[in-house]
Amino acid sequence: MLVEPRSARDRLWRVASSQRGYFTAAQALHEGYSYQAQRFHAQRGNWIRIDRGIYRFREFLDLGTSDTDSLVRWSLWSKGRAVVSHLTALAVHDLGVANPQAVHLTVPSGFRQADPVVILHRDLLEEDDIVQREGFRVTAPLRAVAESAAISADQDVIDSAVSDLLARGEATRRQILHAAQRLGPQASLSVERALRESPS
């Protein structure tokens, strides 16, 4: 039986706690778990294997989950390079009626990983476009609306997101339009329609 030093588990637990219980094989190795020890804990069910090289402490399954827990997994999968974006970002910010069936991520142009569950968008985001959440990054509400409009999301999704953004006082009409214009004519057209429909 493998018995890890208590300090190793404590260190890994601290890392995982900031990531909703998720951690990578590389993080476990860094905190003192050999690959043999990792296999042992996965086989015993102490760690739940989520994906290749990604685990989650079993205890977190009993702590209740958030709708955004799985987004931490995709951040780890991308080695921190992906930013949750587009329709998924709208859902994270609870803007409008977006209910995406796939996870939208924005990644750098050289990103080479792929998975059928995610839709990848390649772009260079500015720091002002990004919000840090617990364990993952997400595009800011204003950017999320504009980028969703740019990919021709359903107009009712854009209408409802723009309406919510205005109602919350998180952006002005001018700011929303300017953000859309940065992303091209399709985004501008969709956002202009939404602004005409919004009473706010």
Side-chain angles (χ1 to χ4, degrees):
M1 178 179 175
L2 292 174
V3 180
E4 75 270 15
R6 189 68 187 173
S7 58
R9 187 181 192 281
D10 290 345
R11 289 195 305 270
L12 185 58
W13 183 268
R14 281 195 294 272
V15 170
S17 293
S18 68
Q19 300 171 165
R20 311 275 181 94
Y22 295 92
F23 57 94
T24 65
Q27 289 173 328
L29 188 66
H30 182 265
E31 301 303 342
Y33 287 90
S34 66
Y35 289 120
Q36 179 187 4
Q38 293 181 34
R39 284 193 298 272
F40 169 80
H41 284 288
Q43 289 168 356
R44 288 292 298 270
N46 300 328
W47 301 355
I48 307 302
R49 186 179 186 274
I50 303 299
D51 200 347
R52 182 178 180 181
I54 300 177
Y55 301 96
R56 195 180 195 194
F57 275 115
R58 178 179 49 78
E59 292 88 341
F60 276 78
L61 300 181
D62 302 324
L63 294 178
T65 60
S66 162
D67 291 341
T68 59
D69 278 3
S70 65
L71 300 178
V72 179
R73 171 254 179 101
W74 294 112
S75 178
L76 294 175
W77 169 81
S78 73
K79 299 178 174 60
R81 290 174 289 173
V83 178
V84 175
S85 62
H86 295 76
L87 298 173
T88 309
L90 291 182
V92 169
H93 296 303
D94 196 24
L95 285 171
V97 296
N99 185 26
Q101 301 305 304
V103 176
H104 290 257
L105 302 173
T106 294
V107 295
S109 59
F111 190 82
R112 292 289 174 258
Q113 291 170 252
D115 191 286
V117 177
V118 299
I119 297 173
L120 298 178
H121 307 270
R122 287 175 169 79
D123 202 353
L124 183 62
L125 295 170
E126 298 177 6
E127 284 304 311
D128 289 347
D129 291 330
I130 301 171
V131 175
Q132 181 68 51
R133 288 294 184 95
E134 185 183 3
F136 67 96
R137 295 180 301 156
V138 58
T139 51
L142 189 59
R143 168 77 188 200
V145 170
E147 64 195 6
S148 296
I151 61 168
S152 301
D154 288 345
Q155 190 61 42
D156 63 331
V157 170
I158 305 305
D159 290 349
S160 60
V162 166
S163 179
D164 283 353
L165 199 58
L166 289 169
R168 293 178 191 176
E170 295 182 9
T172 65
R173 289 172 171 267
R174 184 174 181 177
Q175 288 171 328
I176 296 170
L177 185 57
H178 178 67
Q181 289 170 342
R182 285 174 53 200
L183 298 186
Q186 173 55 47
S188 296
L189 181 61
S190 182
V191 163
E192 285 170 4
R193 288 175 178 167
L195 288 169
R196 286 197 299 270
E197 292 295 321
S198 178
S200 300

